[in-house]
Amino acid sequence: RIKKTWGLQWGNKFKETWWRLLLEGVPAAGGHGIALNGPCPCGWVAPAHLDAPSRAAAQRDHVFWHCPPATAVRRVLAHNLPAGVQLQAKHLWLLQPPCETLHPQVWMVVGLAALTVMASARKHMWALHINRRQQAPNQQAADPHVAATRRAVARLVDGVRDFVDLGRVPDAWVGKVQADHAFIGVRSVADPANSELRMHALVHNMNIPADMLMP
């Protein structure tokens, strides 16, 4: 899976977070066994009784599973899975498809985008938190985790669409990924240069729960 992931024809910026997570090296998310002191801007605090390695692991779990932006991203992913399929951390962190109907490489793209967004949301949330503390009381904006959560959902959509917009259909997807496949599909279209010929194109199929759509 590691070789196939790095071989995916997509920007490495979408692979870096996943790679660092495998090596337990995501900064400020328990990477290198280092746990930050103090609470997350969302209010979460690692249990005080844990030792340093356990605190670092708890912080990783929080950033990539339980923090509000991560929870929102997971909710979008779950919304697009077949009914009854339960999304687990191993499915996302190890890029393991949560069900047999999902093409492994489609899920790879979705998982890479999701992890990238979760890491980005943490940075954005902390930036908003620091900025908020520097503002006057009468200038207080929305809670950082609320704003970061909204942004995370939008960035997830943008991330998957970034791959679709490349317009490159992997050979392994042809004949295996149908037009209505979850998250990303493959459809047959007329060749612009010759209407008698057919070619393949990617389709963005990821849906967002209605109550999470931006107003």
Side-chain angles (χ1 to χ4, degrees):
R1 185 174 286 111
I2 291 177
K3 184 177 180 180
K4 288 183 178 180
T5 302
W6 281 113
L8 182 69
Q9 294 187 32
W10 198 22
N12 285 344
K13 67 179 182 179
F14 289 103
K15 305 170 187 176
E16 182 178 352
T17 297
W18 162 79
W19 178 244
R20 289 182 178 275
L21 183 61
L22 284 184
L23 299 178
E24 298 184 356
V26 180
H32 308 296
I34 301 173
L36 298 181
N37 293 322
C40 173
C42 75
W44 175 85
V45 181
H49 70 277
L50 297 178
D51 57 19
S54 297
R55 284 175 60 84
Q59 194 165 72
R60 175 205 61 203
D61 295 352
H62 178 71
V63 171
F64 290 105
W65 199 253
H66 298 296
C67 197
T71 299
V73 169
R74 288 196 291 114
R75 186 180 167 204
V76 173
L77 299 185
H79 181 71
N80 287 269
L81 293 176
V85 175
Q86 297 295 317
L87 180 65
Q88 301 177 34
K90 67 178 182 180
H91 298 142
L92 190 57
W93 299 357
L94 300 179
L95 304 180
Q96 296 179 354
C99 61
E100 294 182 355
T101 58
L102 270 179
H103 191 280
Q105 289 188 19
V106 171
W107 181 249
M108 181 186 295
V109 171
V110 174
L112 292 174
L115 293 172
T116 300
V117 166
M118 290 177 179
S120 175
R122 177 194 58 77
K123 295 178 181 179
H124 183 61
M125 183 169 55
W126 271 103
L128 293 175
H129 176 66
I130 294 172
N131 183 63
R132 191 172 188 237
R133 291 194 311 185
Q134 297 172 344
Q135 291 179 336
N138 62 346
Q139 296 179 323
Q140 292 293 303
D143 287 338
H145 71 274
V146 174
T149 296
R150 291 178 184 149
R151 183 174 182 265
V153 172
R155 285 297 179 90
L156 176 62
V157 174
D158 291 342
V160 175
R161 192 174 294 281
D162 181 87
F163 182 85
V164 172
D165 288 347
L166 290 177
R168 293 194 294 260
V169 181
D171 292 339
W173 297 26
V174 177
K176 301 288 183 61
V177 178
Q178 304 304 314
D180 60 350
H181 189 282
F183 300 104
I184 303 174
V186 175
R187 63 189 175 96
S188 176
V189 297
D191 188 332
N194 187 339
S195 60
E196 295 183 359
L197 298 178
R198 306 295 293 178
M199 59 184 295
H200 297 97
L202 296 174
V203 185
H204 185 279
N205 288 333
M206 190 166 67
N207 298 310
I208 306 299
D211 63 325
M212 299 181 77
L213 293 173
M214 296 292 288

